[in-house]
Amino acid sequence: MKIDDIAKILDGEILTQNTDLQREVYAACGSDMMSDVLAYVKNQAVLLTGLNNLMVIRTAQMMDMLCVVFVRGKKPNQTIIDMADENEITVITTDKTMFAACGLLYGHGLREASDEQ
């Protein structure tokens, strides 16, 4: 699934400027606990979270993630957006809850980030 498709499916707003919206992602993870993300997520994943701080982008960077979706209408500050842009991580915000956002993406074919990917 392309990052641009994720934004459309979630009725999301893309907040970063310097990322490739045509990049493919193959898996997703929904979590507010970055320790779980570090333990379970693999490359090419999308992170859906309600946690709104720099640690989210640092975690995404460490895990080679391509996209972070902030759920429940959370809008990160400019420092977070700038850090994501510098690391070529697309940031999207959506008004959807984490449950709804994960369900929509799953329904459109995006799967869980795991060792099988």
Side-chain angles (χ1 to χ4, degrees):
M1 178 179 295
K2 291 181 175 46
I3 293 173
D4 191 41
D5 295 329
I6 292 169
K8 289 174 186 168
I9 291 166
L10 298 179
D11 296 320
E13 178 186 355
I14 299 166
L15 302 177
T16 45
Q17 303 294 317
N18 300 319
T19 54
D20 180 2
L21 301 179
Q22 298 304 305
R23 290 194 291 185
E24 291 280 342
V25 293
Y26 305 101
C29 168
S31 183
D32 289 342
M33 295 186 63
M34 294 303 103
S35 58
D36 283 352
V37 176
L38 289 169
Y40 298 111
V41 175
K42 304 302 174 202
N43 292 350
Q44 304 297 344
V46 176
L47 172 60
L48 293 96
T49 188
L51 187 62
N52 190 352
N53 63 39
L54 282 173
M55 203 57 187
V56 171
I57 302 304
R58 288 188 181 119
T59 301
Q61 178 187 16
M62 287 175 56
M63 301 307 294
D64 295 324
M65 292 181 160
L66 301 178
C67 181
V68 174
V69 177
F70 289 93
V71 296
R72 299 188 310 273
K74 301 273 181 103
K75 292 205 176 183
N77 65 35
Q78 194 59 47
T79 302
I80 294 171
I81 294 168
D82 289 345
M83 178 184 270
D85 258 333
E86 290 169 15
N87 290 284
E88 298 180 0
I89 298 169
T90 302
V91 172
I92 299 170
T93 184
T94 181
D95 288 334
K96 308 239 183 280
T97 64
M98 186 167 338
F99 181 81
C102 289
L104 283 167
L105 294 177
Y106 186 88
H108 281 85
L110 202 56
R111 294 299 180 243
E112 178 181 16
S114 67
D115 290 328
E116 289 83 43
Q117 304 299 323

